[in-house]
Amino acid sequence: MSDNEWPRQLPAPAHGEWSDPPPVRSRVLLSAALVVVVLLVAGGVAWQLMSNGTAQPVTQATAAPVPSASRPTVAACPEPELTVAVAPEIEPVIRAAADGLKPAGQRCAPIVVRAEEPGVTLESKDRPDVWVPSSSSWLTIAAQRRLVYKPSGATLAWSPIVLTAPESMVGLYSSDGKPAWTALLQAVTEGRIPVVTMPDPLKTTTGLLSVHGVHAAAALTTKDPGIAQLRALTLRSRLEEADADPVSILKLLGTQNSPTDASYAVGVFPMVEQQLLAYQKAGHEVALAGAPPVDGMVQADYPYAVRKGVKTGLVEQLRSAISRPALEQAGFRTEPTAGSARLPESAAGLLAPVKQWVQYQKLSFQVLLLIDASGSMNEKIGAGAATKASLLRESGASAADLFNQDTTIGMWYFGAASATSPAHTEEVPFGPITSPVGERPRRDLLAEKIGTYRPITSAGTPLYQSVLDGIETMRQDAAPDKPSVVVVLTDGADGGTRFTMSNQEFLRKIAAGRDPKRPIPVIAVGYGPDANMTALQSMAKATGGQAIAARNPADLASAMAKAFLAARSTP
């Protein structure tokens, strides 16, 4: 039997078989023995009797090598009967169970286990027979792609996502040992936490669940889903790294010599509780602490899922070999944790906030905000007391926090109340958001101006002239090597002022001033049912930007979020 073959039982001998061989066989065996002796002598092997009477081989240095043709060959392993892809943190438990099913003395294992993040498995062409991702959500996403994996038996384990940091930092985003996403966001925007990192939500469960945890926490702070969306993106805008590898983070932390070094290496980051427990058990120099956030707790779960059409007894054998004590010993929970945020049941619902999160690019961003200050912005919305202007004040205040530290920004209001009024006024001068304007930080001034925004009742809408001036200003003042955009928010159409022009004239002026080497896209948000979306769409097309409709004024915050995402995706 060769080493790579499955054990096979030899047939039992019949009565008399293999005993009393005929004389011819004895002669053959004797001849073979003589050949062996000759070979031993030719090879230079002499036997020396030692003083204790035992025989020891002594090999001469001139011994002739055994011809390669005489060496035994080892055949390659056959294809495994079962391939299993598992989340990295649970891989040791699954591998130990699989190794326990390996036949005694067998070199080749019938089960192959590979550790990889669920998003990697999802994109791989090598589809495993069994999949143990770190969240059932991945099975939903896979089903959307017609990759059917059905759970076999109960969920193996659970592990909540914990907000983790060096022990000295935990108090900055927690109260009484209870961390919160919103407390983390506040600490980051106030500059009390230097670094926050998160994994890629399209690849890792920690990233996927954390995005939903952040959105669940933001939803508790406001009734407006658009503002909640802006607040969630604010944390995204402050991340030092948005696609960190959880395993690499832990390895990096294991090499740090002080909490200060760790704070600036990875800062605060989410991870699976089991990973934190394993790190703590290893006794590294930098001590970590963490707990599930109270305002958006989410938990990983580990289903044992089988690909459609896979039929082998090893599927159930492996499933049975994964024991609760082994999982608990590894740091997993064998019962779900109460109070976890509910995740969307559809793949679209799971991926929508995640894709928006991923699309948000952290880059050196240059933007000029043009906000309509004409009289129509004072109109009431519905039967309540809210006006377009009041909704803008609330949404704009959240938007002011959305810009990360490398943003360069300025803001104008446009609206002409009289025949001699200018088309627009500068409210926040163009410059780095971290630099002061007088004695005020530019970000604070931006938030204050938006918070006190009051449209002029009798003002018309010099939309086209303001956009033309804005493009020209950005071309002159903005750095040529960084992306620059004009974001305009208006509820109406150009008109009612001495600057009024037709759409055709406006587009001719846009074309005449175009510089292919310095594109300045316009991201236009049409606010309310009266916004001239046809004109805004032609404006966006002519400049390489986008037009976004917010027909319902209550959707303004969502539209602003889309505008910022569109601006950041513009080349």
Side-chain angles (χ1 to χ4, degrees), residues 81-82 129-130 306-316:
E81 288 190 34
L82 193 70
D129 301 319
V130 172
V306 183
R307 180 165 53 86
K308 184 179 180 181
V310 173
K311 295 180 179 180
T312 170
L314 285 175
V315 169
E316 291 307 317

Side-chain angles (χ1 to χ4, degrees), residues 439-526:
E439 298 182 355
R440 301 289 308 282
R442 184 173 266 99
R443 188 190 297 277
D444 291 353
L445 179 60
L446 179 67
E448 177 188 310
K449 288 290 185 179
I450 294 177
T452 58
Y453 162 74
R454 294 291 186 277
I456 303 171
T457 302
S458 59
T461 310
L463 171 62
Y464 290 152
Q465 187 61 54
S466 298
V467 170
L468 290 170
D469 292 345
I471 291 174
E472 184 59 30
T473 297
M474 290 295 282
R475 188 167 285 126
Q476 292 177 0
D477 297 347
D481 58 340
K482 298 177 181 179
S484 303
V485 297
V486 172
V487 176
V488 57
L489 187 148
T490 180
D491 74 329
D494 184 86
T497 72
R498 62 190 174 97
F499 303 102
T500 300
M501 67 183 77
S502 67
N503 183 253
Q504 291 77 12
E505 181 181 0
F506 167 70
L507 293 177
R508 281 197 300 270
K509 291 183 177 182
I510 286 284
R514 179 181 298 164
D515 182 356
K517 297 181 180 179
R518 290 292 311 278
I520 309 292
V522 174
I523 310 298
V525 178

Side-chain angles (χ1 to χ4, degrees), residues 401-420:
D401 287 331
L402 184 60
F403 300 103
N404 47 273
Q405 298 297 91
D406 55 3
T407 300
T408 303
I409 193 168
M411 186 176 73
W412 296 355
Y413 290 159
F414 62 93
S418 67
T420 59

Side-chain angles (χ1 to χ4, degrees), residues 228-264:
Q229 189 178 30
L230 285 175
R231 290 176 181 169
L233 284 175
T234 299
L235 180 60
R236 170 65 184 88
S237 72
R238 305 304 174 88
L239 294 182
E240 181 70 19
E241 191 174 356
D243 57 356
D245 174 49
V247 176
S248 298
I249 286 179
L250 290 170
K251 288 182 179 178
L252 176 61
L253 284 167
T255 65
Q256 302 301 302
N257 296 319
S258 72
T260 300
D261 293 339
S263 298
Y264 283 92

